């Protein structure tokens, strides 16, 4: 009969392919996966927090560290970047889907402290898959409770006698953690919980430009912008670009606007909101009538609502200033430029506007 530590070592060894996968999509250990994560100021804090976890001593900061966010916002990318960073420093890393990790018949179920004798960093994705599985959640809770804290780990070196690091990702906003049992949820929320927001249009465009260059696709900025306007998730954008690549290879010619329309129409793209839907959402958020916002009255609350709606339409739809002017009652493009500049300034100086825009950006727009 195998001893528990030996059996545990063999069980962990079975996860080696997952450790290699965690080193990044390219397979190059030296690649800076964090630098490859395309974002803007909206997701600057989650990215900075992930970088700090990766650069610090194991378990020294933010353990557990939990990434929340809707599907396709880049959570898995950051998890793999973290796993790769710790692996390159010599740490023993397990990176798995949460359900698979909890479903495996590991020998540490009754003595979870044995697990941490063989592992320094535990990285689990798709925590939402544990919903409704009380036995799995109890197993993970016991594992978290046995995780050593407050050891004497040294930055850059895996300290097997010191602290350990817990990193998780959950699909959905932070409020969606309520689908998990209270014991597990309370432990997750005792660490640092950050939320990745859906990428803005400029981020999606830069993502497509990077992928297009990597795959040597001869696509112009207008073509990539057309695709970026059709999807709000990185994963769907990747699928769309793959279809474009396949179409171009089969037909052996440059794509026409009609070709792109047909590719988008055959699936893989989302129905993103138009100006009217965004305007209606702003009106609901401020308890105003959409027609009043579109009108000519200069009442302060109407002016603010109008400017916020213009800003969101610009961010989400990438419309030009003249197009936005026409959509908002035939206003001059200079009025639109002023409105967007005003909201950008207020986002820095006014917490109420920050809160309003953030709420609208994370709503069902």
């Amino acid at each position: 009969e195998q001893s528990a530590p030996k059996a545990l070592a063999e069980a962990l060894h079975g996860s080696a392919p997952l450790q290699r996968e965690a080193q990044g999509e390219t397979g190059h250990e030296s690649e800076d996966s964090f630098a490859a994560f395309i974002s803007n100021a909206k997701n600057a804090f989650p990215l900075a927090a992930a970088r700090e976890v990766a650069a610090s001593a194991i378990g020294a900061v933010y353990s557990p560290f939990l990434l929340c966010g809707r599907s396709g916002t880049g959570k898995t990318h950051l998890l793999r970047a973290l796993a790769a960073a710790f692996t390159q420093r010599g740490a023993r890393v397990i990176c798995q889907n949460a359900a698979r990790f909890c479903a495996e018949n590991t020998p540490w179920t009754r003595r979870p402290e044995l697990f941490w004798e063989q592992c320094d960093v535990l990285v689990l994705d798709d925590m939402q898959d544990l919903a409704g599985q009380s036995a799995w959640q109890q197993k993970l809770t016991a594992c978290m409770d046995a995780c050593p804290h407050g050891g004497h780990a040294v930055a850059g070196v895996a300290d097997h006698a010191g602290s350990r690091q817990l990193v998780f990702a959950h699909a959905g906003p932070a409020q969606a953690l309520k689908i998990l049992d209270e014991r597990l949820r309370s432990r997750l929320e005792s660490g640092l919980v950050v939320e990745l927001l859906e990428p803005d249009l400029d981020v999606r465009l830069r993502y497509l430009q990077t992928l297009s260059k990597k795959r040597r696709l001869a696509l112009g900025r207008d073509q990539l912008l057309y695709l970026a306007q059709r999807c709000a998730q990185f994963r769907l954008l990747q699928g769309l670009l793959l279809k474009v690549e396949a179409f171009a290879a089969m037909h052996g010619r440059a794509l026409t606007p009609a070709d792109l329309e047909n590719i988008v129409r055959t699936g893989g793209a989302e129905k993103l909101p138009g100006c009217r839907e965004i305007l209606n959402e702003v009106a609901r958020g401020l308890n105003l009538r959409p027609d009043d916002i579109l009108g000519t009255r200069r009442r302060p609350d109407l002016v603010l609502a109008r400017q916020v709606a213009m800003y969101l339409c610009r961010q989400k739809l990438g419309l030009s200033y003249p197009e936005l002017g026409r959509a908002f009652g035939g206003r001059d493009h200079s009025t639109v430029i002023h409105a967007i500049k005003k909201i950008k300034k207020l986002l820095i100086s006014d917490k109420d506007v920050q809160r309003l825009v953030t709420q609208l950006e994370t709503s069902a727009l």
Side-chain angles (χ1 to χ4, degrees):
E1 184 177 345
Q2 289 179 312
S3 66
K6 183 178 179 181
L8 178 60
E10 291 183 357
L12 295 180
H13 180 71
S15 296
L18 287 165
Q19 293 178 29
R20 289 194 292 272
E21 178 185 0
Q23 290 170 358
E25 295 176 353
T26 66
H28 299 299
E29 295 182 15
S30 60
E31 181 181 0
D32 185 354
S33 297
F34 290 109
F37 184 79
I38 301 174
S39 66
N40 58 10
K42 190 164 73 171
N43 283 323
F45 177 63
L47 178 59
R51 282 181 178 275
E52 185 175 356
V53 171
S56 301
I58 293 172
V61 296
Y62 313 141
S63 185
F65 177 59
L66 175 62
L67 282 162
C68 295
R70 293 178 180 175
S71 178
T73 52
K75 299 183 301 299
T76 299
H77 181 114
L78 289 184
L79 283 192
R80 290 179 174 178
L82 282 162
F86 283 120
T87 299
Q88 290 164 26
R89 289 162 51 184
R92 300 165 299 178
V93 180
I94 298 298
C95 182
Q96 277 190 327
N97 170 274
R100 177 179 172 181
F101 175 79
C102 293
E104 287 180 344
N105 185 24
T106 50
W108 53 267
T109 303
R110 294 185 180 179
R111 293 185 61 193
E113 68 276 5
L114 294 176
F115 175 80
W116 296 110
E117 294 178 5
Q118 302 290 330
C119 179
D120 301 307
V121 182
L122 178 61
V123 181
L124 297 182
D125 201 357
D126 295 315
M127 290 290 287
Q128 73 282 353
D129 292 346
L130 301 183
Q133 300 288 343
S134 293
W136 289 356
Q137 294 187 51
Q138 290 172 12
K139 181 187 289 189
L140 182 55
T141 300
C143 182
M144 294 178 69
D145 287 345
C147 179
H149 294 286
H152 301 288
V154 178
V157 178
D159 181 1
H160 298 171
S163 299
R164 304 295 188 263
Q165 182 72 49
L166 294 162
V167 182
F168 305 108
H170 185 280
Q175 298 92 316
L177 289 172
K178 62 185 179 182
I179 65 173
L180 300 175
D181 294 347
E182 184 178 356
R183 291 187 68 225
L184 176 57
R185 186 174 73 248
S186 65
R187 285 156 178 78
L188 294 173
E189 292 176 338
S190 70
L192 178 63
V193 181
V194 297
E195 185 170 339
L196 285 170
L197 302 178
E198 288 187 339
D200 290 335
L201 181 66
D202 69 302
V203 174
R204 303 198 300 269
L205 177 59
R206 282 192 283 139
Y207 177 75
L208 285 177
Q209 288 171 330
T210 300
L211 279 185
S212 180
K213 183 178 180 180
K214 183 179 178 181
R215 297 178 180 178
R216 299 179 180 177
L217 295 176
L219 295 175
R221 186 182 185 279
D222 289 343
Q223 291 174 308
L224 294 174
L225 180 60
Y226 177 82
L227 296 176
Q229 290 172 331
R230 266 67 193 170
C231 290
Q233 298 180 11
F234 289 130
R235 194 173 295 115
L236 292 180
L237 288 172
Q238 193 174 39
L240 264 185
L241 201 61
L242 183 62
K243 290 171 66 177
V244 169
E245 184 178 16
F247 185 95
M250 285 188 290
H251 291 81
R253 60 173 173 79
L255 275 70
T256 66
D259 292 333
L260 284 179
E261 289 179 11
N262 288 332
I263 290 171
V264 170
R265 193 178 297 120
T266 57
E270 308 167 85
K271 185 183 183 303
L272 293 178
C275 279
R276 190 69 196 191
E277 288 81 5
I278 291 176
L279 175 66
N280 290 342
E281 190 69 26
V282 172
R284 279 193 293 271
L286 293 173
N287 197 27
L288 297 170
R289 295 175 63 248
D291 289 344
D292 289 340
I293 297 176
L294 284 178
T296 59
R297 297 170 65 187
R298 300 289 302 169
R299 206 172 70 198
D301 57 339
L302 293 175
V303 171
L304 176 63
R306 195 175 299 136
Q307 292 173 338
V308 167
M310 288 180 178
Y311 171 83
L312 290 174
C313 286
R314 173 73 173 176
Q315 293 294 105
K316 287 189 169 287
L317 308 180
L319 298 179
S320 67
Y321 297 127
E323 287 174 325
L324 281 171
R326 289 192 293 271
F328 280 81
R331 286 176 165 82
D332 186 79
H333 74 281
S334 62
T335 302
V336 179
I337 293 173
H338 170 75
I340 293 173
K341 285 183 176 179
K342 180 70 176 297
I343 295 302
K344 286 182 176 179
K345 288 181 180 179
L346 289 176
L347 285 173
I348 298 173
S349 61
D350 192 314
K351 291 185 178 180
D352 290 335
V353 173
Q354 291 174 7
R355 192 177 303 110
L356 171 64
V357 172
T358 299
Q359 289 173 349
L360 292 169
E361 284 181 327
T362 56
S363 68
L365 285 177

